[in-house]
Amino acid sequence: MEALGRLTGGVAHDFNNLLTVVLGNATALRVSAEAHGDGHAVRRAEMIERAAERGGRLAGQLLAFSRKQMLRPETISVYDVISSTHELLAQAAGETMQVVLHTEQGLWNCYVDPGQLEAAILNLVLNARDAMPVGGNITISCSNARVRSHWTGASARARGHYVRIDVNDTGTGIAPELLEKVFEPFFTTKPVGKGSGLGLAQVHGFAGQSGGWVELDSMVGRGTTVSLFLPRAKGRDSDPPPQAEGAAPGGNNQTVLVVEPDADLRTTTCETLTRSGYRTLAAANASGALAHLVSEERIRVLLTEADLPGGVSGIALARSARQVRPNLRVLVTSGKQNDAPAEARQASLGGDKHFEFLMKPYRVSDLVRVVGAVLTRDAISVETEELLAEARANASLVAPSEAAASGYASSGADLLRPAGVRHNAIRLGVMPFRTIGSTRANAFSLGLAEEITTAFSRFRSITCVATASVAALANEPPGQTERWRQLDLDVLMQGSFRQKGNEIRIVLRLLNMRGSGEITWGRRFDGLMPDLPNLQDRIASETASQVASELLVWEGQRAAARPQVNPTAYDLMLRAIPAIYCLDEASFLEARLLLEQSLALDPSCAACHSWLAHWYLLSIGQWAETDRAQATQRADQLSQRAVILDPGDARGFTVAGHVRGYLHKDAEAAVCLHERAIALNPNLAMAWCYSGLAHSYLGEHAEAIRHIQHAQQLSPHDPHGFFFDMALAIPLVATGQYEAAARMGRRALGLHPGLSSTYRILLSALGHLGASQEAADVRKGLLALEPHFSVRKAVARSALLRPEDLNSYAEGLRLAGVPE
C-alpha cells in the first residue's frame, strides 16, 4: 500500500500539471470563440474543460489515497457537516434507499477538512448503495471513541480521543478473501464502467492523512460497516467563518513572478495572468526566481510550484523571498502536497494572511480569483513598501557610534574587532593615498579610497573597514600601534598620487598585515587630469577585480600552512580553493573533502555551497564524471542553495548560471542569472566570463567575445586566467577566427596544462588551420587526460546549441585527427 501510495502520488502530480495546461488553453479557446460568436467551437472547448475537470477529480482521488492531497483542516462538528449534506446523500443513494443519521449527545469536535469529509461520506454511501441492488437501509452514526490500546501494523492506531463515524448497510457483504484488497486503488468487484475502484482508497487516504484510520467489518449476506476514526480537536474553538475573497477587478499591471519548472504550464500561466491585466516574470527554478526577487522589479506576488528542481522547494523559496521582500504575497501551487496539513505549512512562513495554496489542476477563474484575493488582503502600496525598504537600508548604513546613540542594532561585523578574533571574511582597509606635487589632489585621494572600498565591498569574501577609520591612523606606522591592532586588518591598500602638469600617476600597493607588512601586490596607473573621473572608475573596478580573486588564493595558501588544529569551516574552505585550481586528481579530490567538511561544520555558509558547486562544474568538465546525472543534480542543489542562503552574492548567481548553461544546456536562463550577478558586482571577472560562455552557447558570439575580453581586462592576472583564455577560444572558433583561437588555447595551456577543455577547443582550432603536427602533440596531451575522447562524446557534452556551431567544432576535431 505504501509503494502504491508513492506511485499514485507521483502520477497524479504529473497528471495535474498536464491538466492545468489543458484547462488554461481550453478556457482561452472558449473565450476566443465566444468573442467571435463561434458556438460550435465554444461547445468543443467546454467539452475539453469538462473532461479535464473529470481528470482532475480522478487525480484528486489518487492524491487522497497517496495522502498527498491538499487538506484545509478546521475545527468542526462532524454531525453538522454530515447533516448539512443529508439531502445530497439521500439523492445519491436513490429512491429505494433510506439514509438515517444518528449521533450521541456531547459529540466532540474534530479537526479535519470538511470538504474531504463530505467526499469520504459520499463515497461510502455510494458503495453502500451499490451493495444493495434491491434497496435497503444506510445508517450513519457519530459517536465519541476513547482508544486505549496502541496497535501497530499496516496502519498505526495511537491511543487517544477520536470521533467515530460508522456507515452501515444491509447489503450483500464482502467475501473474506477480498477484505484485504478493498482499500487498494482501482480494485473493484463492480462491472466495467460501474466504478473506478477509488472510492474506498480515497476514504483510506483521507483518514490516514487526517491523523486517523478506517476499519471495515463485513459478513456475506448481512451487510458491511465502514468506521472512520478522526482525531478529536484538542483545545480548539470553532474556527471563525472564512471571509469572502473577491478577486481584484483586474491586475492593474501589477507584477507576478511565476516559478514553474514545466515550460508549457509556465507559458500558460503567464498568458492567463497577462490577459487578466497582470505583468508577469517567469523562472524555472529557485535561483532564477531569486535573480528577479533581488532586482529592482516591482514584484507583488510570487506564484511558485511547491516541487522545484535543484533541491530547493517552493516553500523554501517563499521563505527566502519574504526575507528579501517582507510584504511579498505568496501563492504556492502543486499537484501533490506533503503529509503536513496546510496550517503547518502556512506556519512555516509565519502564518500570515499573505500566503495561500492552490491545488492543480485549477481553472483560469480560480487562478485569477486567488491571485486577486491575495493582493487585496490588507495590501500596502508599492510606494509604501519601497519607503519601508529605504528606511531599513538607511538604518543599516548608520555608523557604529550613531547606531549606539539612536538605538539601531548592528547586523554586520563591527568595524573595530578585538585583535586575534578570527572572522569569516578577509578584512581589508584602504588608506587615502599620499599626494605628491599637488595639494588640490587631497580630495581626489580620499574619494578614490572610498571608490576602491566600495568596489571591494561587493565581494562577499571581503569585509571592508570604513575609510574614515583607516584615515584616522594615517600618521601612525601601519600595524604597530594599539589602534591599528584594533582594526584587525588582514591586508591594507595604500599608494600615492603624483601630478606633474596635466599628467598624473597613481601607484597602488597591497600590504600583508598578518606578516611583516610586505608588499604582496602592486600596480601603476597613468592618465591625464581631464580624464580623472573615468580613470577613478577604472582604477576602482580593475583593482578590486584583480585583488579580490587573488586574495582568496593567498588566504587559502596561508590557511594550508597553518597548523591544522581544530580548523574552522572558513579555514577548511580557504584551504580548498588553491587545491581546486591545481586540477591534479589528488589535490582536486582533497578540495572536495575539505569543502564537504566545511559544510558539515557550517551548513549555512553560502560561499562554501557555491565553491562546492564550482568544484562539481570543473569535475564534470574535466573528468566526465562517471555518474554525470548525479553530479549534475548535486551541483544544481548546491548552487541553488548558495543563492537561497545569500541572494546578494554575485558569485553565487554566476555559478548557478553556469550550472544552468553548461550542465542543463539552458543558456537563456543562464544569461539572466549572469546578468543579475553582474548587476550585483560589475567587478566580478568570473561573472563576465561565464556570461560570455552563455552568450556563445546561444550563438551570440560577438557579445560572448566582448564579455570574456572584459573579464580579461578586469583581472589580467586572475587565478582563473587560463579558464578565461579557454573560454574566449570557443566563440573565436565559432566565428572562424582560428588563429586567434589557437593563440588563446596555447596561452591557456601555458598557464595551466591540466584543463582538458583547453585541449579540446585548441584541437578544433588547429584542425581548421591544418596544423597537423601541433595537433598531434595536443591530441596526445588530451588523451592522457581523457583516454576515450572522441568526436561523438565531444558533441554530446558540448553546451553549444546551434547546429552550425556544433558542426564547426566537430569538424575541427576530425581534421585534428580525433577519432569519430
Side-chain angles (χ1 to χ4, degrees):
M1 293 286 278
E2 183 181 345
L4 280 171
R6 287 196 298 270
L7 173 64
T8 54
V11 169
H13 172 254
D14 292 342
F15 192 47
N16 274 333
N17 274 346
L18 298 172
L19 288 173
T20 305
V21 177
V22 172
L23 267 174
N25 284 285
T27 301
L29 289 172
R30 176 174 54 78
V31 171
S32 176
E34 288 172 345
H36 290 84
D38 188 342
H40 184 66
V42 169
R43 288 191 295 275
R44 286 186 176 275
E46 288 174 343
M47 289 172 63
I48 297 172
E49 288 180 304
R50 287 195 296 271
E53 286 167 358
R54 286 198 299 272
R57 288 193 291 273
L58 173 63
Q61 290 177 303
L62 289 173
L63 287 171
F65 168 72
S66 64
R67 304 186 187 185
K68 294 183 181 297
Q69 64 183 333
M70 169 60 69
L71 294 183
R72 298 179 181 275
E74 302 174 12
T75 299
I76 61 168
S77 164
V78 166
Y79 178 78
D80 289 346
V81 169
I82 298 176
S83 62
S84 68
T85 61
H86 186 267
E87 183 178 349
L88 170 66
L89 296 174
Q91 290 176 354
E95 295 180 357
T96 61
M97 307 290 172
Q98 184 176 7
V99 180
V100 181
L101 176 61
H102 296 299
T103 185
E104 72 174 47
Q105 293 296 319
L107 184 70
W108 297 325
N109 286 342
C110 61
Y111 188 64
V112 294
D113 184 323
Q116 292 299 326
L117 173 62
E118 290 175 1
I121 299 300
L122 177 59
N123 274 322
L124 293 178
V125 168
L126 292 175
N127 270 9
R129 178 201 64 187
D130 294 340
M132 298 182 289
V134 295
N137 296 323
I138 301 173
T139 304
I140 304 174
S141 304
C142 303
S143 60
N144 297 328
R146 295 173 175 84
V147 178
R148 293 181 172 83
S149 58
H150 181 85
W151 301 351
T152 57
S155 42
R157 299 162 188 190
R159 64 176 62 91
H161 291 178
Y162 296 85
V163 176
R164 175 173 177 163
I165 308 169
D166 293 323
V167 179
N168 172 264
D169 66 61
T170 56
T172 56
I174 303 172
E177 64 271 17
L178 301 179
L179 285 176
E180 291 186 356
K181 298 182 178 181
V182 293
F183 293 117
E184 295 177 7
F186 301 113
F187 175 80
T188 181
T189 59
K190 300 172 187 177
V192 174
K194 295 297 183 180
S196 67
L198 284 170
L200 286 177
Q202 182 268 341
V203 175
H204 178 274
F206 161 68
Q209 192 175 355
S210 299
W213 67 91
V214 59
E215 296 177 2
L216 188 146
D217 181 47
S218 185
M219 184 175 293
V220 175
R222 294 197 178 182
T224 300
T225 298
V226 180
S227 302
L228 266 73
F229 290 80
L230 300 173
R232 176 186 182 182
K234 297 178 181 179
R236 298 181 186 272
D237 297 324
S238 295
D239 290 349
Q243 297 177 353
E245 295 182 350
N252 296 323
N253 209 33
Q254 298 191 80
T255 301
V256 179
L257 172 57
V258 178
V259 188
E260 170 58 59
D262 186 291
D264 288 340
L265 181 50
R266 188 167 63 245
T267 300
T268 299
T269 303
C270 289
E271 289 177 350
T272 296
L273 292 171
T274 300
R275 286 195 300 269
S276 299
Y278 294 96
R279 179 174 172 267
T280 59
L281 301 170
N285 52 36
S287 56
L290 280 168
H292 289 299
L293 287 165
V294 298
S295 71
E296 301 302 319
E297 294 284 354
R298 295 155 66 95
I299 301 170
R300 297 307 311 280
V301 178
L302 168 65
L303 194 164
T304 178
E305 157 68 29
D307 297 306
L308 297 176
V312 179
S313 70
I315 300 295
L317 169 63
R319 188 180 299 115
S320 297
R322 294 296 298 274
Q323 292 174 356
V324 176
R325 297 176 182 243
N327 292 297
L328 183 73
R329 273 61 171 162
V330 176
L331 174 58
V332 177
T333 69
S334 183
K336 65 178 180 180
Q337 295 296 335
N338 295 333
D339 291 349
E343 180 192 58
R345 310 194 83 204
Q346 185 164 337
S348 70
L349 277 98
D352 65 66
K353 56 193 173 185
H354 300 147
F355 178 80
E356 187 57 84
F357 281 97
L358 180 63
M359 282 297 291
K360 298 174 181 174
Y362 46 75
R363 297 181 68 95
V364 167
S365 57
D366 292 334
L367 174 64
V368 176
R369 175 183 59 81
V370 175
V371 170
V374 170
L375 272 170
T376 54
R377 291 176 186 164
D378 299 335
I380 64 172
S381 67
V382 175
E383 291 74 19
T384 303
E385 184 175 338
E386 290 175 347
L387 185 61
L388 291 171
E390 183 180 350
R392 286 191 295 270
N394 290 338
S396 68
L397 294 174
V398 176
S401 59
E402 296 170 340
S406 60
Y408 283 111
S410 173
S411 60
D414 294 334
L415 287 179
L416 300 180
R417 181 191 301 269
V421 176
R422 288 303 303 159
H423 33 264
N424 290 340
I426 300 165
R427 208 163 158 82
L428 176 142
V430 182
M431 177 69 75
F433 302 145
R434 182 168 55 96
T435 57
I436 303 172
S438 173
T439 56
R440 293 181 300 174
N442 287 334
F444 167 77
S445 172
L446 180 59
L448 180 57
E450 292 279 8
E451 284 284 338
I452 294 175
T453 301
T454 300
F456 273 116
S457 69
R458 294 175 180 268
F459 291 87
R460 280 295 199 265
S461 58
I462 296 174
T463 296
C464 294
V465 174
T467 305
S469 297
V470 180
L473 307 183
N475 296 321
E476 299 179 21
Q480 298 182 25
T481 67
E482 181 59 29
R483 293 209 297 168
W484 272 109
R485 284 189 286 274
Q486 285 181 328
L487 286 184
D488 194 26
L489 295 180
D490 292 303
V491 287
L492 172 69
M493 179 161 287
Q494 59 177 209
S496 61
F497 177 94
R498 184 188 300 270
Q499 179 182 0
K500 184 178 181 181
N502 210 27
E503 297 178 349
I504 54 176
R505 171 169 293 178
I506 299 168
V507 178
L508 305 181
R509 296 180 294 275
L510 194 69
L511 307 184
N512 178 11
M513 300 297 284
R514 296 292 176 192
S516 57
E518 70 272 16
I519 298 174
T520 59
W521 177 89
R523 175 113 185 246
R524 188 184 78 188
F525 294 87
D526 293 321
L528 300 174
M529 282 299 293
D531 196 38
L532 199 55
N534 292 332
L535 182 61
Q536 179 172 305
D537 292 342
R538 177 185 158 215
I539 292 171
S541 63
E542 292 185 14
T543 299
S545 182
Q546 292 172 33
V547 172
S549 53
E550 294 186 27
L551 275 177
L552 275 176
V553 178
W554 297 337
E555 278 287 294
Q557 292 168 345
R558 249 191 350 209
R562 286 196 294 267
Q564 302 305 309
V565 180
N566 297 324
T568 66
Y570 182 63
D571 287 333
L572 290 168
M573 185 186 74
L574 286 178
R575 285 173 54 197
I577 293 170
I580 290 176
Y581 292 123
C582 290
L583 285 182
D584 67 86
E585 197 160 359
S587 298
F588 195 72
L589 292 176
E590 182 191 12
R592 174 184 173 181
L593 178 63
L594 290 169
L595 290 169
E596 295 283 10
Q597 291 173 346
S598 176
L599 274 185
L601 287 175
D602 184 4
S604 65
C605 179
C608 194
H609 280 83
S610 181
W611 276 109
L612 190 52
H614 184 84
W615 183 94
Y616 275 100
L617 277 166
L618 286 174
S619 178
I620 293 169
Q622 183 73 4
W623 285 289
E625 287 258 348
T626 51
D627 192 344
R628 182 184 174 99
Q630 184 177 0
T632 298
Q633 183 182 24
R634 180 71 171 137
D636 214 11
Q637 292 171 342
L638 288 163
S639 63
Q640 293 203 43
R641 186 64 182 156
V643 172
I644 287 283
L645 287 169
D646 188 356
D649 182 16
R651 193 177 189 283
F653 273 105
T654 200
V655 170
H658 197 48
V659 168
R660 296 308 307 172
Y662 178 59
L663 300 185
H664 293 282
K665 300 185 180 181
D666 185 359
E668 289 186 356
V671 167
C672 293
L673 291 168
H674 296 316
E675 286 177 351
R676 184 59 203 160
I678 291 170
L680 286 168
N681 186 357
N683 302 320
L684 185 61
M686 178 55 77
W688 286 97
C689 178
Y690 278 161
S691 175
L693 281 173
H695 281 289
S696 191
Y697 299 157
L698 289 169
E700 300 166 354
H701 301 300
E703 189 73 0
I705 291 170
R706 186 180 71 82
H707 279 222
I708 300 171
Q709 286 179 338
H710 186 66
Q712 292 175 321
Q713 179 187 356
L714 275 175
S715 188
H717 305 294
D718 197 285
H720 293 90
F722 64 94
F723 189 89
F724 295 172
D725 290 342
M726 179 280 299
L728 183 56
I730 293 174
L732 290 174
V733 166
T735 53
Q737 302 178 65
Y738 305 125
E739 189 57 58
R743 280 200 307 274
M744 288 297 102
R746 295 183 191 110
R747 191 168 78 175
L749 281 185
L751 290 170
H752 200 313
L755 185 66
S756 59
S757 300
T758 304
Y759 290 89
R760 294 180 218 137
I761 195 64
L762 177 56
L763 270 175
S764 183
L766 294 173
H768 282 294
L769 289 171
S772 55
Q773 184 56 52
E774 185 179 359
D777 294 336
V778 173
R779 189 172 66 249
K780 182 178 178 181
L782 175 59
L783 292 176
L785 294 171
E786 293 187 59
H788 305 294
F789 182 74
S790 67
V791 174
R792 183 175 300 170
K793 288 183 177 180
V795 170
R797 290 167 58 185
S798 175
L800 294 169
L801 298 177
R802 292 201 315 171
E804 55 266 44
D805 294 335
L806 279 170
N807 291 338
S808 175
Y809 172 49
E811 183 60 23
L813 293 175
R814 293 188 188 97
L815 293 171
V818 176
E820 189 64 33

